[in-house]
Amino acid sequence: MTRDIDRFRRLCGQYRWLAVFMVASVGLLLAGSGLIAPLVLSARTPDLVSGREVIASVIWITPTLCYLFGVWSIGAGMGQLAKGRLIQPTLAATLRRVGLALGFGGVISVFVVTNLLRLIGSTEGGYLHFDVAGMTLGMIGGALFLLGRVVDQASEVQAELDEMV
């Protein structure tokens, strides 16, 4: 039994570092390609890249930042489990944070990105970006948030039952 718990904690710690690596590497790539490169090009050759294109690039990567926060939250939860924190409260908090991150990322991807790009004059088109992946992640995020609430409520019920016994 103790061996299984130690193995579980070790795997959680490894997964935490995998999440940190993913967030750092993808975050650096996003920052480089979506923000730093356009700013450098804009500074070197103002006619080549306009400020609007730099802003549009930042708008395009916004949902991905939410998704990366979700991955970071999973890594943080795994790190807490690796340190020996109780599973139920850690799971509930992690599910809520990941759910919010995926939900906001999905909503931003489907509704906000297209409309902000239209607002700054970077694109034309409809008011809704038919992004099936974004819609799916948004729905999964909402479900994870609700599951986090269920785990919290189960913990409260368990505490009440423990007091009765």
Side-chain angles (χ1 to χ4, degrees), residues 76-135:
M78 290 294 174
Q80 292 295 316
L81 292 175
K83 292 176 184 175
R85 187 154 183 237
L86 294 175
I87 291 175
Q88 197 165 9
T90 303
L91 177 65
T94 301
L95 284 173
R96 283 194 315 272
R97 279 195 314 268
V98 171
L100 285 173
L102 294 181
F104 279 124
V107 167
I108 290 169
S109 174
V110 173
F111 296 107
V112 177
V113 168
T114 302
N115 290 313
L116 283 179
L117 291 173
R118 286 175 42 133
L119 185 67
I120 66 169
S122 179
T123 189
E124 296 177 6
Y127 295 98
L128 173 72
H129 177 61
F130 190 70
D131 177 17
V132 176
M135 291 176 188

Side-chain angles (χ1 to χ4, degrees), residues 12 33 37 45 52 82 92:
C12 286
S33 66
T45 315
R52 181 180 350 156

Side-chain angles (χ1 to χ4, degrees), residues 20-44:
V20 168
F21 173 75
M22 182 183 165
V23 170
S25 60
V26 173
L28 286 173
L29 288 171
L30 276 176
S33 66
L35 183 61
I36 296 170
L39 285 174
V40 169
L41 283 174
S42 176
R44 291 180 72 194

